[in-house]
Amino acid sequence: MNEDWYRWDGGDLILLLHIQPKARKDEISGPHGDRLKIRITAPPVDGKANKHLIKFLAESFDVPAARITLESGDSGRDKRVRIASPRQLPEIPGLFRPQ
């Protein structure tokens, strides 16, 4: 199984994501090639999808939104984000269920 979509940098988690905006619900869909697919309900207009993604990731990894940095992909579907010291790891369909 290809798990190139994440890596640890000290205590920070780096994720390579593929985002599907205007989805029916917010969810982590699972691996999508060399990225992790995340569906979000926000439209890709005026930065709304990026703001919504950061809020969703903050809730999923139990960190304040200020600890999430969009490192690349500001205007595209493929993004790289850094999560500083995540407090929890969410369930990733088909991969693992945190204890």
Side-chain angles (χ1 to χ4, degrees), residues 17-19 21 44 49-50 53 70 72-79:
L17 304 175
H18 179 79
I19 306 304
N50 287 338
L53 172 65
L70 180 59
S72 69
D74 187 53
S75 61
R77 287 181 179 228
D78 291 339
K79 302 181 184 300

Side-chain angles (χ1 to χ4, degrees), residues 8-60:
W8 289 95
D9 182 21
D12 294 353
L13 179 60
I14 310 294
L15 298 175
L16 299 179
L17 304 175
H18 179 79
I19 306 304
Q20 178 188 332
K22 292 173 58 176
R24 191 169 30 101
K25 66 179 184 173
D26 296 330
E27 66 181 347
I28 298 173
S29 176
H32 182 79
D34 64 347
R35 297 190 173 263
L36 180 64
K37 185 172 184 176
I38 296 183
R39 295 181 176 115
I40 57 172
T41 55
V45 221
D46 300 328
K48 289 180 182 177
N50 287 338
K51 289 176 187 171
H52 191 84
L53 172 65
I54 289 171
K55 181 181 175 190
F56 175 71
L57 291 174
E59 292 170 2
S60 298

